[in-house]
Amino acid sequence: MKRKHTLSFIGLFGALAILLVLITGCGKSNSSQGPITVATSGTLYPTSFHDEKTNKLTGFDVEIVRAVAKKLNRKVEFKEMNVAGQLTAVKTGKVDMAANDFSVSPARKKQFILSTPYKHSWNSIVVRKKDNSGIHSWADIKGKRAAGEAGTGYQKLAKQLGAKTVNYNNVANSVYLKDVKNGRTDFIMNDYYLQKLALSAVPNNGLKIMTNMFFTTSDDGAGTGIVMKKSDTKLAKQVNKALKELKKDGTLKKIAMKYYKADVTKKPTAKISKHFVIK
């Protein structure tokens, strides 16, 4: 009886060990195919914002990510935070990627993997209509108050040109526009398409885009892409493959036309006043 009991115990132990291996294996498999976590702002129209009627998170970059996730047969979960927080979350592994109109800049490429660009644009300056905020040339930027988010290339450039930077923490476009109109700040530097749509979304804003001061920088000449952790090469390859397929089947253009009323997937031909190297 003792021998039989020992054999039964060994058999039970073996079965439990096999079951543990199977469970562990299943856990790894589920983890690799779990939801993609994505950092975004939720406040940048039309890149990442909440629909006024449904309060649903939507936008150009948001829909691009959803289309990529669908191609990868994975769900997606968005986490809203400011720009600095998004990049830190990617670097520390708290999220898989960040999508928020991030330019494929040389400095960013040193720290992260950026996807194939899916948007191309140029930059503009928003000022008050009534007096141009006192800005008529690049020399006039000196001493003016630049509205933006801390750590962005636009605020770095504004400071480089002698402006006083007024920084905001992940606020809606309407806040920026209101403050320029009422004189708390003097100008906003940002992507042309973003600024054009932001102005059209706020009636009687008293603002305009300086069409004689379009510019590009060393940070944004290569377009906009999804930001991923430097070591996450497997995910990057999957994302780039999905983006290639989405461009080929016309999905990227369709999303662009929906949010920008223009095919921003193509390189623009606007007249550029100046190119800056951000130091």
Side-chain angles (χ1 to χ4, degrees):
M1 292 295 292
K2 187 176 181 180
R3 179 183 175 87
K4 186 176 179 181
H5 178 75
T6 303
L7 288 171
S8 297
F9 177 79
I10 292 171
L12 179 61
F13 180 82
L16 287 171
I18 293 169
L19 181 61
L20 182 61
V21 169
L22 288 172
I23 291 172
T24 305
C26 288
K28 288 181 179 178
S29 176
N30 288 338
S31 175
S32 64
Q33 291 302 315
I36 300 173
T37 52
V38 184
T40 193
S41 67
T43 60
L44 184 61
Y45 180 84
T47 290
S48 170
F49 65 99
H50 286 266
D51 184 271
E52 288 184 357
K53 294 180 180 178
T54 65
N55 200 37
K56 179 184 177 183
L57 180 67
T58 188
F60 177 69
D61 284 54
V62 170
E63 294 308 315
I64 293 287
V65 168
R66 285 183 175 141
V68 167
K70 187 176 180 181
K71 281 283 184 184
L72 301 182
N73 199 29
R74 294 176 67 178
K75 293 182 179 181
V76 59
E77 292 179 358
F78 290 96
K79 297 181 183 296
E80 297 174 36
M81 56 191 80
N82 62 27
V83 171
Q86 291 173 50
L87 296 176
T88 298
V90 173
K91 191 175 289 186
T92 58
K94 290 183 178 179
V95 297
D96 298 310
M97 58 179 70
N100 202 69
D101 202 55
F102 284 110
S103 58
V104 183
S105 69
R108 198 163 281 145
K109 286 172 72 176
K110 288 180 181 179
Q111 301 181 64
F112 305 94
I113 296 177
L114 283 106
S115 73
T116 302
Y118 49 83
K119 179 194 166 208
H120 297 276
S121 185
W122 66 97
N123 304 303
S124 64
I125 299 176
V126 163
V127 296
R128 287 183 290 278
K129 273 184 183 178
K130 62 181 181 181
D131 61 356
N132 279 17
S133 298
I135 299 170
H136 304 279
S137 68
W138 290 106
D140 295 330
I141 294 289
K142 187 175 182 179
K144 297 297 188 296
R145 293 157 297 181
E149 193 165 322
T152 62
Y154 296 114
Q155 288 298 77
K156 290 177 182 177
L157 176 59
K159 190 173 183 179
Q160 190 175 311
L161 294 174
K164 299 173 183 177
T165 55
V166 179
N167 295 317
Y168 296 74
N169 184 24
N170 205 36
V171 299
N173 291 330
S174 57
V175 176
Y176 284 103
L177 301 182
K178 181 181 178 182
D179 282 356
V180 174
K181 182 180 180 180
N182 65 28
R184 181 172 183 263
T185 57
D186 297 308
F187 70 96
I188 308 165
M189 283 183 170
N190 213 318
D191 173 87
Y192 168 76
Y193 289 115
L194 294 183
Q195 305 240 70
K196 182 181 178 182
L197 288 167
L199 290 179
S200 65
V202 181
N204 304 314
N205 53 61
L207 308 174
K208 69 175 185 178
I209 290 175
M210 297 286 288
T211 56
N212 65 323
M213 293 177 69
F214 290 150
F215 66 99
T216 56
T217 77
S218 54
D219 277 3
D220 54 48
T224 294
I226 295 170
V227 180
M228 290 164 280
K229 195 173 183 178
K230 193 73 172 176
S231 60
D232 212 344
T233 54
K234 182 179 178 181
L235 178 61
K237 287 179 180 178
Q238 293 173 341
V239 167
N240 285 337
K241 183 175 182 291
L243 286 171
K244 185 177 180 180
E245 292 173 359
L246 291 166
K247 186 173 184 178
K248 187 177 180 179
D249 67 21
T251 301
L252 294 187
K253 181 180 178 180
K254 185 178 179 181
I255 297 173
M257 294 303 295
K258 177 181 177 181
Y259 289 100
Y260 287 104
K261 305 295 187 279
D263 187 2
V264 298
T265 64
K266 293 182 178 180
K267 292 186 178 181
T269 56
K271 184 179 180 181
I272 304 303
S273 165
K274 205 167 182 68
H275 178 80
F276 294 100
V277 175
I278 297 178
K279 299 174 184 178

